[in-house]
Amino acid sequence: MSPPRSAAFFDLDKTVIAKSSTLAFGKPFYKGGLVNRRAVLKSSYAQFVYLLQGADETQMDRMRDYLKTLCAGWPVDQVNAIVAETLHELIDPLVYDEAVALFEEHHAAGRDVVIVSSSGEEVVGPIGEMLGADRVVATRMVVENGAYTGDIAFYAYGEGKAVAMRELATEQGYDLSASYAYSDSFTDLPMLELVGHPTAVNPDKALRKAATERGWPVREFRRPVRMRSRIAALRTPPGPPVVYAGAAVAAGALGVAWWTGRRRR
């Protein structure tokens, strides 16, 4: 009898890449006319604070509310074009070599690699494709007439990440007790507690304490690497997006968008 399928779930910011994926695009959005100079300076400062101390629940809520207001009215096609044009320039140098090695190890063991991030799917999807992930779970904004309304359809944060992971496990047949998860933030405790093999990566103070109390491994990722030299070694580039919907959450039914590539053979 074959063993159950399993997956490796990775938070993105400060776990797979060395910065906030959302804030990294501040300057390109400014050049594209989507934000003003003040917003760019604010995102640069937020990035600095995030790198120093991470983000707790209050800061994440403030960031969510700020980004909701900021992106209201943005044309979706323009955002996608800016991300596609600047992805390798901005994100390529930020990817941790240690994370890439783990992607390779999990793929070699037959596990799917899933990125689970509170950043928007417009950013996380292309990053996942660049890294050779099998799927991503990300925040999804409401779109009307080709533009963002400023409302959030699904927020991939805290318990929301765990809800999405459970649904994906049911959909794909993952055994969560045999699966792995990696994150730097205490706010991802629900995600880490859901799997049989959690690991704290570059943990903030609260997560380091929780990991120590639970006997979880703690790892430090310190070596960013350019992905272009390793993409071919990771796996065949994945195919086009596929969307699933229907995640039922306590507050009501929320649509969850998944990006998925061709199955690793």
Side-chain angles (χ1 to χ4, degrees):
M1 183 176 179
S2 59
R5 295 187 66 209
S6 59
F9 299 91
F10 288 80
D11 175 48
L12 181 60
D13 301 344
K14 293 181 72 177
T15 302
V16 175
I17 65 174
K19 291 186 179 181
S20 162
S21 51
T22 299
L23 296 176
F25 288 91
K27 289 183 179 179
F29 287 162
Y30 169 70
K31 291 179 180 179
L34 296 177
V35 298
N36 57 30
R37 183 174 177 80
R38 183 170 178 268
V40 174
L41 293 174
K42 187 171 183 177
S43 69
S44 297
Y45 175 73
Q47 185 78 263
F48 173 71
V49 172
Y50 179 72
L51 289 175
L52 282 181
Q53 62 186 38
D56 59 21
E57 185 172 354
T58 300
Q59 290 167 326
M60 287 294 292
D61 286 345
R62 288 174 180 170
M63 178 63 69
R64 176 201 60 197
D65 294 340
Y66 172 67
L67 292 176
K68 281 171 56 178
T69 302
L70 187 67
C71 75
W74 287 4
V76 175
D77 288 347
Q78 185 180 2
V79 172
N80 290 337
I82 290 173
V83 171
E85 290 169 4
T86 60
L87 177 68
H88 283 280
E89 174 189 349
L90 294 175
I91 304 300
D92 210 352
L94 302 178
V95 181
Y96 285 123
D97 185 49
E98 298 93 337
V100 175
L102 277 174
F103 278 30
E104 294 170 339
E105 289 177 17
H106 286 298
H107 274 145
R111 299 184 193 96
D112 282 357
V113 170
V114 183
I115 294 177
V116 187
S117 174
S118 59
S119 292
E121 63 182 358
E122 297 78 9
V123 170
V124 182
I127 292 175
E129 183 173 359
M130 183 184 79
L131 297 175
D134 298 280
R135 291 171 178 80
V136 304
V137 174
T139 293
R140 185 166 63 89
M141 303 296 292
V142 175
V143 175
E144 291 182 2
N145 300 318
Y148 299 108
T149 66
D151 295 321
I152 295 177
F154 171 72
Y155 189 30
Y157 170 76
E159 184 60 33
K161 285 188 177 184
V163 170
M165 287 166 60
R166 289 190 194 97
E167 184 166 290
L168 184 58
T170 299
E171 177 75 28
Q172 298 299 322
Y174 298 144
D175 178 358
L176 290 173
S177 68
S179 294
Y180 294 72
Y182 304 84
S183 179
D184 70 292
S185 176
F186 183 76
T187 61
D188 282 339
L189 204 59
M191 165 183 170
L192 293 168
E193 290 178 331
L194 191 61
V195 301
H197 304 281
T199 297
V201 174
N202 300 336
D204 57 29
K205 186 176 180 181
L207 180 58
R208 187 178 295 275
K209 181 175 182 292
T212 300
E213 291 173 348
R214 291 163 171 77
W216 294 348
V218 175
R219 299 187 61 168
E220 304 292 338
F221 291 176
R222 292 288 181 259
R223 299 190 305 274
V225 62
R226 284 194 172 273
M227 284 300 302
R228 291 190 180 189
S229 62
R230 299 192 62 168
I231 285 294
L234 267 173
R235 68 195 297 258
T236 303
V242 175
V243 177
Y244 299 85
V249 190
L254 297 177
V256 178
W258 308 96
W259 169 91
T260 178
R262 288 195 296 267
R263 194 65 52 93
R264 182 177 175 85
R265 302 296 181 185

